[in-house]
Structures are given as C-alpha cells and as structure tokens.
Amino acid sequence: MATWLSPIIVVPKKIGKIRSWVDYRKLNVVTIKDAFPLPFTDSVLDAVAGHDIYSFLDGFNDYNEVWIHSDDQEKTKFVTEWGVFVAVVSMFGLKTAPTTFQGIISEVFIEYIPAFM
C-alpha cells in the first residue's frame, strides 16, 4: 500500500478541451518550503533598464526538466485508470518546483547575472 498517492483531476476548459493535473495539495501541505528566494520583478527590471537589447528565457514549463531525487520519487505517486505512476521529473503543482528551478538557473548563470542577466 502506498503512503503517498495523489489523484488525477480532469477539468473541462472553456474552449472545449480538457485539462488534467495531479492533485499534489496533500503532499504540498507537508513539504518543507524551499528557502531559495524568487527574485523581485522590480529588482530584475531595474537591473536591465537602459540596455539596448533584451532577451527573455521562456522558463514557463522548464521546471519539468529537473529530476526528482530518487528518495523523493515515491512521494509523487499518482493513480490513473491504467495504474499507479511515479514522477521522475518535477511536475506542475509541486510546491518547490518554481524555487528549485530558479535556484538551478541562478547557480548555472551565476557569473553572468551581475553583468547582463
């Protein structure tokens, strides 16, 4: 028997399609909040003001490229009519997905952030 098991929620969209997502609300309640702070939009805009060229990295869904530690994958189990599955990459709805992704991006680009990022 699984200790952690989250349901799939299917909801209709206004445009006639459906949207499905894993309901991680119970897992998120017991998840320790990631201490990495997300940057303030005002600070970011102040830092880039006055430059001639701007480029934006679309990281909207890139957190799902981040692997979940093997010890924590058990907690991401979700059930469907076809069986029980485990997430191996970060998914939409996990409490720490945005801050974990931001932390990775900040670490990778640390030498460029003060100069032009």
Side-chain angles (χ1 to χ4, degrees):
M1 184 167 153
T3 304
W4 297 101
L5 193 58
S6 299
I8 294 281
I9 306 296
V10 179
V11 292
K13 295 172 91 176
K14 291 180 182 178
I15 58 174
K17 296 183 178 184
I18 61 169
R19 176 179 181 249
S20 63
W21 54 281
V22 181
D23 186 359
Y24 282 126
R25 288 180 290 188
K26 289 184 179 181
L27 176 60
N28 286 338
V29 167
V30 297
T31 299
I32 297 170
K33 188 176 180 179
D34 192 343
F36 189 88
L38 293 175
F40 290 107
T41 304
D42 290 347
S43 299
V44 173
L45 294 175
D46 287 344
V48 300
H51 290 81
D52 294 331
I53 299 173
Y54 298 96
S55 177
F56 294 90
L57 172 68
D58 181 11
F60 184 71
N61 289 318
D62 289 340
Y63 55 81
N64 61 15
E65 300 285 334
V66 177
W67 288 87
I68 296 173
H69 192 280
S70 58
D71 294 344
D72 294 324
Q73 290 176 2
E74 173 78 16
K75 299 170 189 144
T76 66
K77 280 188 176 180
F78 57 95
V79 62
T80 71
E81 62 183 276
W82 303 282
V84 176
F85 299 89
V86 175
V88 295
V89 294
S90 189
M91 295 179 63
F92 178 78
L94 289 173
K95 182 178 186 175
T96 59
T99 53
T100 300
F101 178 73
Q102 181 65 46
I104 291 168
I105 291 298
S106 295
E107 184 176 329
V108 168
F109 293 111
I110 189 68
E111 65 185 276
Y112 304 112
I113 290 173
F116 59 86
M117 289 184 79

